[in-house]
Amino acid sequence: MEASSAEEGLKALNQAAVDILVTDVGLPGVSGLQLAKDARSLRPDLCIVVATGDSGIQSEAELLDAVLVVKPYAPETLRRSLENALQAKARP
């Protein structure tokens, strides 16, 4: 599923089974970090990957139990980030 805003993303989370959320921090309107916070409240078990050009938000990503991927990133980096998020969810 794809959403062009945080509001659409939350709507999608309410309407469908979603295993992982990948969000950019710089979304129109509500930030991707706020989307991640809202998504975490809505779905505590959701895997979250946050993409940004600002590596300074590492601590915020950690508070959300999210994997941070810093732009620019290669497809392999994104793939590893998705795997890391899913593996973290699988841990007891």
Side-chain angles (χ1 to χ4, degrees):
M1 301 182 94
E2 186 175 331
S4 61
S5 68
E7 296 82 6
E8 286 182 22
L10 284 175
K11 185 177 178 181
L13 286 172
N14 280 312
Q15 294 178 342
V18 176
D19 295 319
I20 190 162
L21 168 70
V22 179
T23 184
D24 194 304
V25 171
L27 296 177
V30 177
S31 80
L33 283 176
Q34 186 60 52
L35 169 59
K37 289 175 189 174
D38 294 344
R40 177 65 68 219
S41 294
L42 183 66
R43 298 272 224 27
D45 62 333
L46 184 67
C47 296
I48 300 175
V49 175
V50 176
T52 182
D54 180 7
S55 62
I57 68 156
Q58 178 67 43
S59 61
E60 291 177 75
E62 288 173 3
L63 287 173
L64 290 167
D65 195 24
V67 173
L68 178 67
V69 61
V70 180
K71 296 187 263 180
Y73 53 82
E76 177 62 21
T77 303
L78 180 59
R79 186 188 65 74
R80 277 195 312 266
S81 296
L82 292 168
E83 286 177 352
N84 290 342
L86 290 169
Q87 287 173 358
K89 179 181 177 181
R91 288 185 207 126

